[in-house]
């Protein structure tokens, strides 16, 4: 029996959830909700994400411009923003802040969702995010085998980077210095830029990175 939004019951805790009469599948989820709905599918229940703060949005915009233009200029794949659902399993789906998929794996990106592990996932952690939610998020990305995960922690001003190797994930925590991607060839940035009150212009950084990539 098909579900309709009118059948969902709302309740409010720290988040708002839309509770269906039976667990919702990922396929039903992406059909029912549009890119304008800031929601995730958690074990068959639709959970509305908390409104993000200005600091989160400005960093997201800067990173999206930088990553998107670099990937387009180098022809390595596709960068998608925070309204693209990624299937974790049949009853679970996440909306990463940013994700990257290589052209060779473009087949996992469908019209209404990503059915497979992105090569890179970027999540911006805000003060309102609970530690248990962050752990669950990281676990989901590990479980589907995302090759590289960036957790940008705004409150602590550090980046946790997880890279998938043959024997599991290798973790690195950076509060300064250069962060280099292993899945986007030639891409790097300075960690300090992520947390600066005034960041360098994304297009200026792009020219710098592309210039060094050409020399390499």
């Amino acid at each position: 029996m098909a579900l309709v939004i009118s059948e969902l019951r709302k309740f409010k805790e720290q988040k708002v959830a839309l509770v269906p009469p039976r667990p919702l599948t990922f396929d039903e989820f992406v059909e029912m909700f549009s890119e304008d709905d800031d929601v995730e599918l958690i074990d068959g229940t639709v959970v509305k994400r908390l409104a993000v703060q200005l600091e989160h949005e400005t960093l997201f915009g800067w990173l999206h411009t930088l990553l998107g233009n670099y990937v387009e200029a180098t022809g390595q794949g596709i960068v998608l923003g925070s309204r693209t659902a990624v299937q974790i399993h049949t009853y679970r789906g996440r909306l990463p802040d940013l994700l990257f998929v290589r052209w060779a794996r473009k087949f996992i990106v469908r019209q209404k969702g990503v059915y497979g592990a992105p090569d890179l996932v970027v999540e911006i952690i805000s003060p309102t995010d609970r530690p248990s939610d962050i752990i669950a998020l990281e676990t989901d990305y590990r479980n589907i085998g995302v090759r590289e995960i960036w957790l940008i922690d705004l409150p602590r001003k550090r980046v946790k980077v997880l890279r998938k190797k043959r024997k599991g994930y290798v973790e690195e925590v950076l509060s300064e210095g250069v962060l280099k991607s292993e899945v986007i060839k030639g891409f790097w940035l300075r960690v300090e830029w992520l947390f600066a009150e005034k960041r360098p212009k994304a297009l200026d950084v792009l020219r710098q990175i592309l210039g060094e990539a050409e020399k390499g």
Side-chain angles (χ1 to χ4, degrees), residues 48-66:
K48 182 174 176 59
R49 303 195 299 180
L50 295 174
V52 296
Q53 298 179 345
L54 179 61
E55 187 178 15
H56 179 288
E57 283 298 273
T58 55
L59 176 54
F60 165 77
W62 186 83
L63 270 175
H64 196 186
T65 299
L66 183 57

Side-chain angles (χ1 to χ4, degrees), residues 64-77:
H64 196 186
T65 299
L66 183 57
L67 269 172
N69 281 286
Y70 180 84
V71 167
E72 181 180 12
T74 56
Q76 296 188 50

Side-chain angles (χ1 to χ4, degrees), residues 209-216:
I209 299 173
L210 286 172
E212 294 194 10
E214 290 175 1
K215 292 177 183 178

Side-chain angles (χ1 to χ4, degrees), residues 99-113:
L99 66 88
F100 163 75
V101 177
R102 290 176 290 127
W103 283 129
R105 302 184 62 249
K106 176 69 164 50
F107 62 89
I108 72 172
V109 182
R110 303 183 192 174
Q111 188 64 34
K112 293 191 175 181

